[in-house]
Amino acid sequence: MAKLRNNSNIIAVARGDLPADLLLKGGRIFSTSTKEWIELDLAITSGVIVGWGSRDAKEVVDVTGCYLTPGFIDSHMHLESTKLWVDTFVSTVLPHGTTAVAADPHELANVLGIVGVKELIEASSKLPFTFGVCASSCVPASHFESPGAEIDANDVAELLKDPHVIGVAEMMNYPGVIHGDKEVLAKIAAAADRRVDGHSPGVSGSDLDAYLCAGIESDHECTTYEEALEKRRKGMWIFLREGSAARNIAELSRMVREFGPYRCALCTDDREPRVLIEKGHINDCIRVALQSGITLEDALLMATANAAEYHGFNQLGTLAPGYQADVLVFNDIETLEPTYVYRAGQLVAFEGKVVPGLFERLDPPKSMKSTVHLESPVTGDELVLPPSDDSDLVRVIGVKDGSITTTEQIITASEFRSRGVNRLAVVERHRKTGRFGRGYTVGFGIASGAIASTVAHDAHNIMVVGGLSQSDSADMATAVNFLAKEGGGQVVVQGGEILAFLPLPIAGLISDKTAPEVAEEMSKVLAASKTLGSEVQEPFMTLSFLGLSVIPELRLTDLGLVDVRSFELVDPFLGR
């Protein structure tokens, strides 16, 4: 995206020959080039910053003593994880200062294919927001997953023809990259001179070298200082993530404190609406960075100019002449809640609220609904995988609160109840195959009942977890069949009763309601899941990642139990 320039009227205003449209008078401008705060007026015309210093203007806004920064940019996120349709998402994050995102719609793509991505691009283009779309590269994420659609190298190339598509999205199939899979490499090659995002949790050494040589440029999956430092030393951009389930800024902050913010940016990846409302968006990432010892100036740089530089948002990220006037005005910089939010020189939010009438509500296309299709209703017996003997050694997926990585735990069947093991199942929901994946997990702590979701990265089949009794397996079946009937969502079941339900009619991933309504419904399903004994802070977010077959160590898909380290299907029972 080229920087705005070569407009004779804008140049005339910059010279001072004509009055500016708007003058923000008396503020302290943050210079991303020198990390200084400079007390000067900021002039804007036709949505472009035309200069610093006093000059005539048609409108003057006194911001004396306030702090002015560029609009915040999310370097990597998935709209679908917010569970909000694009207009609702924009109206939710604009008041918090986010004016641009780099979005990977691979969740929609896994359900609806390239058509779903194009529908999202069309909808987002109507909003006062920079919604950069990355061409989803891993649909499916691996050959162990069964999505509703696939995107091949030709589809990636077609998407890249759209001016709203800024690069190739996270290349999660790192084994395919490292081992030179031709189709995977063709998707990377389609990017040409545009960015290719990475996704390589735990990859290091010569494997990392091979991954980088293929053309991968960033990573948002670092969870340790050592991992992030090796990748950064080898030239990778590191996106420090603070989502709902995966929160890594505190752990990675040492890298920024020691080596500065060069080649670092901030991202949310997966952040749910309740968190967006209660804590914010990229402004909350900055807060966490500050609490972790990163300076305000370095955190702001990662949230603005660095993100813009990486993604080729050449008109964004800097409050300098010739750049788009995405400006945040803070009465109190410590709150990191802007008083004024300008996007392309237009006031879009004021004191925590979107300007009334800013844009009309967008209805999602009908093609995005009615996407849950089962061969037939399931039974409890179909969803369970009972061990044949108490002495059996079983591979169990270990989950940890606040992390989307898992561990392989070997537990004897006789210890299941004492260790708090739960049953886990995946039901294929796109093509009526009747396939089931069955296994076990530990760490949820569900004593009875079941929770289920059509949000299940990345193929988004129905994933359900429940207790060990026969009535619990019946609850698992009730949950799956209910979601199929309702067209998708998240549900809590106990004793055959629906305790709470969050409807997600758009691709089984997204609500068509307002953010507060979705947050309230989410609070109800969360509270209901706690009555079952759930021990993780975000059980549905944690559940949603248990099928993602490209993050170590164990995952479960409709094809079976996947050992991501060896990248192969394994038997849940050792010795068979």
Side-chain angles (χ1 to χ4, degrees):
M1 295 185 179
K3 191 167 71 170
L4 304 168
R5 53 166 66 96
N6 293 335
N7 181 299
S8 59
N9 183 68
I10 289 174
I11 295 171
V13 177
R15 286 197 308 264
D17 295 346
L18 295 172
D21 291 340
L22 173 65
L23 188 71
L24 300 178
K25 186 175 181 61
R28 302 167 183 173
I29 300 169
F30 178 61
S31 168
T32 56
S33 298
T34 61
K35 295 194 291 187
E36 298 174 281
W37 295 94
I38 302 170
E39 294 190 24
L40 281 174
D41 302 342
L42 189 72
I44 298 168
T45 285
S46 300
V48 179
I49 296 169
V50 293
W52 292 4
S54 181
R55 64 190 66 209
D56 292 335
K58 300 172 186 176
E59 179 185 2
V60 176
V61 177
D62 188 352
V63 294
T64 300
C66 295
Y67 295 81
L68 277 59
T69 75
F72 298 149
I73 303 170
D74 191 333
S75 292
H76 173 78
M77 59 84 65
H78 305 282
L79 173 75
E80 305 91 323
S81 292
T82 71
K83 298 181 175 65
L84 305 175
W85 186 229
V86 61
D87 58 339
T88 306
F89 167 75
V90 168
S91 65
T92 302
V93 301
L94 270 178
H96 294 297
T98 302
T99 58
V101 299
D104 174 9
H106 70 220
E107 323 297 358
L108 280 173
N110 270 274
V111 179
L112 300 165
I114 193 172
V115 173
V117 177
K118 289 182 175 181
E119 293 278 18
L120 176 61
I121 291 172
E122 172 65 20
S124 64
S125 66
K126 301 173 183 177
L127 300 169
F129 195 83
T130 302
F131 199 92
V133 172
C134 300
S136 302
S137 66
C138 294
V139 181
S142 81
H143 60 277
F144 298 118
E145 299 188 24
S146 306
E150 297 184 6
I151 289 183
D152 61 20
N154 291 330
D155 293 325
V156 171
E158 181 180 341
L159 285 171
L160 285 163
K161 295 175 183 177
D162 191 297
H164 296 92
V165 177
I166 59 176
V168 173
E170 56 180 312
M171 178 49 73
M172 295 181 290
N173 188 359
Y174 58 85
V177 176
I178 293 167
H179 294 100
D181 181 279
K182 290 183 178 180
E183 175 67 14
V184 170
L185 296 184
K187 292 177 180 179
I188 296 173
D193 60 349
R194 279 177 278 187
R195 296 289 193 183
V196 181
D197 289 345
H199 170 117
S200 54
V203 175
S204 63
S206 59
D207 282 349
L208 178 60
D209 297 342
Y211 191 65
L212 295 176
C213 283
I216 310 297
E217 300 173 88
S218 66
D219 190 65
H220 60 275
E221 290 290 344
C222 296
T223 58
T224 68
Y225 165 83
E226 292 77 15
E227 178 184 1
L229 185 58
E230 180 189 2
K231 289 175 176 175
R232 189 174 168 193
R233 280 173 170 166
K234 290 181 174 179
M236 275 187 119
W237 280 75
I238 305 299
F239 299 159
L240 287 74
R241 171 177 57 188
E242 197 72 14
S244 289
R247 301 181 291 275
N248 309 121
I249 289 178
E251 177 66 29
L252 304 183
S253 62
R254 175 184 165 193
M255 177 190 64
V256 179
R257 296 196 308 269
E258 290 183 352
F259 299 99
Y262 180 66
R263 285 183 177 259
C264 294
L266 301 177
C267 78
T268 61
D269 198 6
D270 301 288
R271 184 167 278 222
E272 295 189 323
R274 180 170 51 83
V275 180
L276 292 175
I277 293 171
E278 294 176 359
K279 294 185 177 181
H281 194 230
I282 291 298
N283 62 328
D284 183 56
C285 296
I286 297 172
R287 286 193 200 99
V288 176
L290 297 182
Q291 293 164 3
S292 304
I294 296 174
T295 68
L296 173 62
E297 291 73 21
D298 283 350
L300 288 173
L301 199 61
M302 292 190 290
T304 58
N306 285 12
E309 177 186 349
Y310 176 84
H311 284 295
F313 292 141
N314 296 324
Q315 81 279 27
L316 304 181
T318 297
L319 300 184
Y323 284 78
Q324 182 169 301
D326 286 12
V327 186
L328 310 183
V329 180
F330 297 86
N331 283 348
D332 181 358
I333 193 66
E334 292 183 3
T335 67
L336 286 165
E337 294 292 349
T339 305
Y340 300 89
V341 178
Y342 292 91
R343 193 267 178 179
Q346 176 188 16
L347 182 66
V348 292
F350 175 66
E351 293 187 341
K353 295 182 179 180
V354 170
V355 172
L358 183 63
F359 52 83
E360 296 181 358
R361 185 72 192 271
L362 300 177
D363 292 325
K366 291 183 180 179
S367 61
M368 289 188 167
K369 297 188 176 183
S370 301
T371 62
V372 183
H373 310 289
L374 301 187
E375 181 185 41
S376 60
V378 302
T379 67
D381 290 341
E382 290 176 306
L383 298 180
V384 302
L385 190 66
S388 58
D389 189 272
D390 282 351
S391 63
D392 280 342
L393 293 175
V394 186
R395 292 183 174 94
V396 177
I397 301 173
V399 301
K400 180 182 178 182
D401 200 13
S403 175
I404 60 175
T405 59
T406 65
T407 58
E408 178 188 52
Q409 298 193 24
I410 309 300
I411 300 176
T412 61
S414 61
E415 296 178 300
F416 274 12
R417 291 195 179 277
S418 63
R419 296 282 297 273
V421 172
N422 287 131
R423 285 172 169 149
L424 181 68
V426 181
V427 181
E428 195 280 323
R429 63 108 161 171
H430 302 292
R431 304 177 186 272
K432 297 184 179 182
T433 63
R435 264 198 308 271
F436 306 95
R438 295 167 290 196
Y440 297 96
T441 183
V442 64
F444 273 95
I446 292 178
S448 65
I451 67 173
S453 175
T454 50
V455 179
H457 304 285
D458 268 354
H460 298 293
N461 291 305
I462 301 177
M463 184 158 276
V464 58
V465 62
L468 292 173
S469 72
Q470 187 171 356
S471 63
D472 296 330
S473 60
D475 285 343
M476 292 171 69
T478 297
V480 170
N481 294 328
F482 179 83
L483 291 181
K485 177 184 176 182
E486 296 296 325
Q490 297 179 329
V491 67
V492 182
V493 179
Q494 188 176 44
E497 179 184 355
I498 306 301
L499 301 185
F501 173 50
L502 166 64
L504 299 172
I506 305 172
L509 305 172
I510 297 173
S511 174
D512 54 5
K513 298 181 181 179
T514 67
E517 288 172 330
V518 179
E520 182 179 358
E521 290 173 336
M522 288 190 64
S523 294
K524 289 179 180 178
V525 296
L526 177 62
S529 69
K530 296 299 183 183
T531 67
L532 305 187
S534 174
E535 297 173 351
V536 293
Q537 184 176 349
E538 299 286 348
F540 282 98
M541 180 71 84
T542 302
L543 176 64
S544 73
F545 281 101
L546 293 190
L548 183 51
S549 60
V550 291
I551 297 182
E553 296 178 345
L554 289 183
R555 303 284 151 165
L556 184 70
T557 75
D558 62 303
L559 298 180
L561 189 64
V562 182
D563 186 329
V564 182
R565 298 160 300 183
S566 60
F567 220 52
E568 62 182 357
L569 291 173
V570 295
D571 196 311
F573 303 102
L574 273 71
R576 288 192 180 181

